[in-house]
Every structure is written in C-alpha cells, then in structure tokens.
Amino acid sequence: MDSADPAEGGRPDGAEGGRPDALVPVLRTVRAGNGFEEALEQVLQLLRLGLVPPGERLPPERELAERMGISRVTLREVLKVLQDQRLVESRRGRYGGTFVLARAAEGGEDELRRRVASVDVEDTLRFREVLETGAAGLCAAHGLDERGAGRLRAALAATHDAELSDYRRQDTLLHLTLAELSGSPTLTAQYAAVRAGVNDLLDCIPLLVRNLEHSQHQHTALVEAVLDGDADGAREVMREHCAGTAALLRGFLT
C-alpha cells in the first residue's frame, strides 16, 4: 500500500482532504491495548463529521499513524476495514492514496427513522449545548493568541464563502475549531463525538437558506464576542445558536 501513500507522491494541488488543523480535535493518540479499535473509531468519526468530503483524499498514512500513535501496520488494518465497508478506496500510482467514497443513498423515511431511533435526540442536543457554551466561554475568558484568533477568523470566513453543498462541513469545522481553542482536550474529544451524532441528525433534514443566514449572523456575533473577551456574550450567543438548531431538529424529527 506504500505506493498509494500520498507521502510518496501527492497530487499536484496538494489537497489532503481538509485543513490539517481541522483533524486535530478528532485524531489523537490512542491508549495502549486498544490501538486498532480506537484508531478505527477516530477515522470513522472523521468521516461522519464530513471533515474529508467524498472524493477527497485522507492525509498520508505516515501522518495518520503519527497523529494516533499507532504503527502503519495497524493503520492499514483500519483502512482495510473501511475499504471492506465501501467507505474509502485505495488508489495506486503517483497521485494515489486513500479516498473517501460517497455514502450510498439510503431509504428515505426508513433511514430517517433508523437514525432517530439510534440517538437520544434530547440528550444529544443538551450535551451539545453544554459543551458548546462552555467552549465559547473558555475561549473568550482565557483569550486567544494571534494564531488561534487567525484560525477562528479563517474558519468563520470559510462558512461565509461556502457553497450550499459544503456549508455543513464548514460549519462543523468552525465549531470544532472553537472547541479545540478552548484549551481542554477532553472537551474537544467529547464535542467531536457529539457533533458526529448531531451531523447524523442534520443529514435527515433539509438545508434552509433562511436558517443558514440566521446562523451566519450568530457565527459572526459569536466570533466577535470571543475575540473581544466577552465570555458572557459568547456563551449567550452560542446558547441561542444551539437552541435554533435544536428547534429545527425537534420540529423535523420528533
């Protein structure tokens, strides 16, 4: 599989399936004893969050293995499982690598019911609100250095510039960036997990342009509050933002 590793010959455009910074909250060192299982969980979470869109390439094997603290042998076992499940495919050659496959369209209302039945919607939404408001407050209260502030501004700009088809991915990246910048790895990991569940639910409802416009105003107000060091304001904007998403999900799914 080495010849398919982008580290040995990448695409000329240098695309690696999402910004490297975006992978930090999801890919972390696994604990000894369950390396394969935890690495598989993390890469599946990466795919569920949509951080690497269909058709894009995962980061090189060497980078993935180093981020998770596993051997490339273990990583290849993980990728083999994902290939068997038709979630990724390996392409060989100079511009080869491991590419994310589009999920096959599944059965409409039946799929919606399956997803909703597998998730405690209220618990997921409440836990998300706790984590999101906490992260926003921490970022504002502790302040961000120049690099962190730049990352947050860039993530916000990406949501404003996103095509409709890419909006949810960019929205996810903005929220994950805020969680990571909170300075709590535990909060970040928990948020990545709960956001994957939220995204499964969001995939069941339509994108509403009016709602996205409102969300963008809230995103802007949130980032401004964080950068101004207004912890109370940041928490309040985030609370309202989470409540809006929750209202939509409850309306469509319950």
Side-chain angles (χ1 to χ4, degrees):
M1 201 164 172
D2 276 350
S3 60
D5 187 347
E8 278 75 60
R11 285 159 119 184
D13 62 359
E16 296 294 354
R19 304 191 319 268
D21 283 341
L23 309 184
V24 173
V26 179
L27 300 181
R28 56 199 179 276
T29 303
V30 303
R31 292 170 294 182
N34 292 313
F36 168 78
E37 291 81 2
E38 291 192 16
L40 179 59
E41 177 188 21
Q42 290 186 35
V43 179
L44 282 169
Q45 193 175 87
L46 191 74
L47 301 182
R48 289 177 65 205
L49 286 165
L51 298 184
V52 184
E56 291 296 317
R57 186 178 58 195
L58 291 176
E61 284 183 8
R62 178 166 54 244
E63 180 182 343
L64 288 173
E66 287 176 353
R67 283 180 180 271
M68 293 185 284
I70 58 175
S71 69
R72 289 174 71 169
V73 171
T74 298
L75 177 63
R76 288 169 184 169
E77 292 173 348
V78 167
L79 296 178
K80 178 63 166 57
V81 171
L82 299 178
Q83 290 173 37
D84 290 345
Q85 296 299 309
R86 299 297 300 159
L87 296 174
V88 302
E89 68 176 6
S90 177
R91 302 177 192 170
R92 308 187 76 82
R94 181 179 178 187
Y95 302 135
T98 301
F99 290 78
V100 177
L101 296 175
R103 286 192 288 183
E106 298 177 82
E109 290 295 320
D110 289 339
E111 169 64 5
L112 187 152
R113 284 193 291 270
R114 184 192 68 78
R115 291 192 189 187
V116 174
S118 68
V119 176
D120 186 329
V121 176
E122 287 301 322
D123 182 63
T124 297
L125 295 176
R126 288 170 182 161
F127 191 38
R128 179 211 179 183
E129 181 179 331
V130 168
L131 294 175
E132 293 258 33
T133 56
L138 284 171
C139 286
H142 295 168
L144 301 179
D145 60 19
E146 185 176 344
R147 181 175 181 274
R151 285 185 56 197
L152 191 58
R153 290 191 186 97
L156 174 64
T159 64
H160 285 295
D161 296 337
E163 298 289 337
L164 192 62
S165 60
D166 195 40
Y167 180 81
R168 281 189 177 148
R169 182 172 74 94
Q170 297 298 341
D171 178 54
T172 297
L173 288 172
L174 172 61
H175 287 265
L176 278 170
T177 299
L178 190 69
E180 185 199 348
L181 292 174
S182 73
S184 169
T186 301
L187 185 155
T188 304
Q190 289 294 315
Y191 178 68
V194 78
R195 179 69 192 217
V198 169
N199 280 5
D200 281 346
L201 297 175
L202 287 172
D203 284 344
C204 296
I205 70 174
L207 282 166
L208 305 176
V209 173
R210 179 66 185 89
N211 168 249
L212 298 188
E213 292 172 347
H214 185 217
S215 291
Q216 284 304 96
H217 288 305
Q218 291 176 327
H219 285 158
T220 300
L222 171 66
V223 170
E224 288 176 352
V226 168
L227 296 179
D228 287 343
D230 180 2
D232 289 340
R235 283 190 290 264
E236 185 56 31
V237 173
M238 183 63 88
R239 189 173 292 109
E240 290 179 0
H241 184 61
C242 290
T245 302
L248 278 182
L249 288 172
R250 291 187 185 108
F252 276 102
L253 303 181
T254 63

